[in-house]
Amino acid sequence: MIVQQKITALREELNLHTYNYYVLDNATISDYEFDIKLKELEKLETENPQFFDANSPTQRVGGEITKNFETVVHKNRMYSLDNSYSKEDLNDWEKRIQKLLGTDDISYTCELKYDGASINLTYKNGEFVKAVTRGDGFQGDDVTTNIKTIRSLPLKITSNFVRDFEMRGEIILPLNGFYKMNEERIENGEETYKNPRNTASGSLKLQDSTEVAKRPLDCLLYQVVTDERKYQTHFESLDIARKVGFKVPKTIVLAASIDEVFDFVSSWDSKRHDLPYETDGVVIKVNSLAQQDELGYTSKSPRWAIAYKFKAAQVSTILHKITYQVGRTVAITPVANLEPVQLAGTTVKRASLHNADQIEKLDIRINDTVFVEKGGEIIPKIIAVDVSKRSVNSEPTIYATHCPECATELVRTQGDAKHYCPNEFGCAPQITGKIQHFISRKAMDIDGLGGETVELLRKEGLIQNYADLYDLRVEQVIPLERMAEKSAENMIAGIQKSKEIPFEKVLFALGIRFVGETVAKKLAKHFKSIDNLLTADFDTLISVDEICDRIAQSVIDFSNDLVNMQLIDRLKLHGVQLEVSAASLKNQTDKLKGKVLVVSGVFHQMNRSELKKAIEDNGGKVSSSISKKTSYIVAGEKMGPSKKVKAETLGVEMITEQDFIEMIKK
Ligand code: AMP
Ligand code: ZN
């Protein structure tokens, strides 16, 4: 087979597997085999750059950085939808359109209203070319590189469909993916995302598309916009769109009357809580495209469509007490303990109260009857108090003044909504939480030791901090509940083995606030040892790429604490890796020391991330935007024209991929 055919065949095969998996939810190949084929394609493409295709499956992994999202005017305006809240509203709408059309022969489609961020996708000649956010409806932001990473979105339409069209849809974050992202945030000691919708729309504007590629985003389509009139009805157009590869949910139905529309609405009002993603209503559209044209638009929305908004599920119940939770990160969270009540298909016993201000604002008191709502947020919240049911001798809530776990007086720094327990090293849940984080998979990855055992060891007085782990002996552990000799030995062996874990992970394990996995990697790479890091001053810290004031300050606070310094010394004595190992330094040089390089365009001998790694390994710094400080631009094929102009005006030297390779070889 000639190379080009082989490349095409591989692309088609990979696209088909992706479609089967991400659209039809039916895997037809193992992840492993998929990766092998993808690697094979990548290799062929690198060796044969003349067959480069921006819509190849290899282009989905991200890698491009967008500093400023370009504003693009929509070819066809993106309208809002009118809202309705009751069957009467729907009946009124029907009467209006019957009058305008002069007929009562109208059928409808009913779709769920997917709760995410709207997107307009442009396809030309069956190829995906552009994705733009709704913006103000007239113009939005070009987020093409980010959208391309969404696997369920076809980049090429091979079957016979209209050639040039726009596809309208919603970028959503399915609940499972959302929960998973939050679990990771918790593990990293970062604040959790509030709801899937904001997280989805925030993802579209991330500068690093590699980061977007990691998020489990999905794209649900709901409208084909085209000048070619191949279909008579909306339903038909979506049905065909689904067949040619778009993810059009199967929940769509045709309805012959508003009564049937309402049946759909009622059934989904309760069923919606079982969906894998969130929906806040139904969108009803006139099915005939000719009738849609006749009805046209008002100044803000189509006359041929209307949204029906579900009421946020709400119940009233009694607030028994307010408890205060302490976690690994020192912030205290007030929690409402409620009389258990059914809400949107689950039993609710607790609701979040956010912070002291909110309790005060809503004047929430013990024994109050409160309204609990499950809206976009995952944890239900109290939205109001039924004051008519309040007893006369009720008293305003006094917010906790002391830590419920260690009785230390709480502090609240100015500008911060939350209270903190400052007793970092003496407050049980904080101690346990820190050690649990230390041993976790992405940190020291200690085999044979789990979260519950950590709690047990702490309670038994065997450990107070992570350094204590390395002093544990088998004989001390065996007498513990549910601990056999073998498991005790495994645990100690696991702890000893963690001394081999590389420095960047150790740094993450230390649990310095705001130093998550990625930041730890950056810091480890830059400073190379804990001593360099902890003696760096503020200015040195913030001069490191992507290290902001907040992180720098947190590192300084950490190093100013004597207890932390003692713990680090003890880890050092135990032989934990507190500097970058010689082996990992081996391939590194400082040929590019002091140089700032910008990478732009498409490369053939290495991919972008390899190129960036090569820059960093040789002591250079990668920057995403061109400035006077830029030393070189490594210019690949298809380098952005605006970058070129900027480089020329600033007189920054442009070098080719080959020049670069020679530069580091020298
Ligand atoms: P609104 O933002 O409340 O005016 O509602 C309009 C938005 O609903 C559109 O911009 C779409 O992003 C979104 N939407 C979600 N699902 C659908 C659907 N099935 N049909 C049309 N619009 C939808
Ligand atoms: Zn405490």
Side-chain angles (χ1 to χ4, degrees), residues 326 403 405-408 421 423 427 430:
V326 193
C403 175
E405 300 283 345
C406 70
T408 305
C421 166
N423 186 17
C427 182
Q430 292 190 57

Side-chain angles (χ1 to χ4, degrees), residues 544-614:
V544 180
D545 215 15
E546 283 173 63
I547 301 304
C548 62
D549 291 9
R550 191 177 72 148
I551 299 171
Q553 192 52 52
S554 166
V555 171
I556 288 179
D557 291 345
F558 182 90
S559 60
N560 281 340
D561 193 315
L562 277 180
V563 182
N564 286 326
M565 292 304 100
Q566 279 165 3
L567 291 178
I568 301 275
D569 281 342
R570 284 178 59 205
L571 291 180
K572 229 182 250 171
L573 287 175
H574 281 295
V576 172
Q577 304 290 316
L578 289 165
E579 55 186 43
V580 177
S581 71
S584 66
L585 283 174
K586 220 175 85 196
N587 287 325
Q588 304 196 352
T589 74
D590 46 15
K591 285 184 187 147
L592 297 174
K593 195 168 176 202
K595 303 275 190 258
V596 181
L597 285 86
V598 172
V599 172
S600 177
V602 180
F603 300 94
H604 301 302
Q605 306 189 44
M606 325 184 182
N607 65 31
R608 283 176 88 90
S609 41
E610 286 166 346
L611 189 58
K612 287 181 184 168
K613 185 163 182 300

Side-chain angles (χ1 to χ4, degrees), residues 532-547:
N532 291 343
L533 173 67
L534 297 181
T535 49
D537 60 18
F538 188 81
D539 289 338
T540 313
L541 283 163
I542 56 167
S543 72
V544 180
D545 215 15
E546 283 173 63
I547 301 304

Side-chain angles (χ1 to χ4, degrees), residues 476-512:
Q476 287 179 300
V477 183
I478 292 175
L480 295 182
E481 224 179 300
R482 286 184 314 223
M483 188 62 78
E485 197 174 321
K486 187 80 202 139
S487 44
E489 278 167 6
N490 285 344
M491 182 178 125
I492 302 300
I495 293 173
Q496 293 306 317
K497 185 132 202 307
S498 73
K499 293 178 182 172
E500 292 161 21
I501 292 288
F503 174 50
E504 57 181 45
K505 296 205 171 179
V506 178
L507 185 52
F508 169 58
L510 296 180
I512 304 174

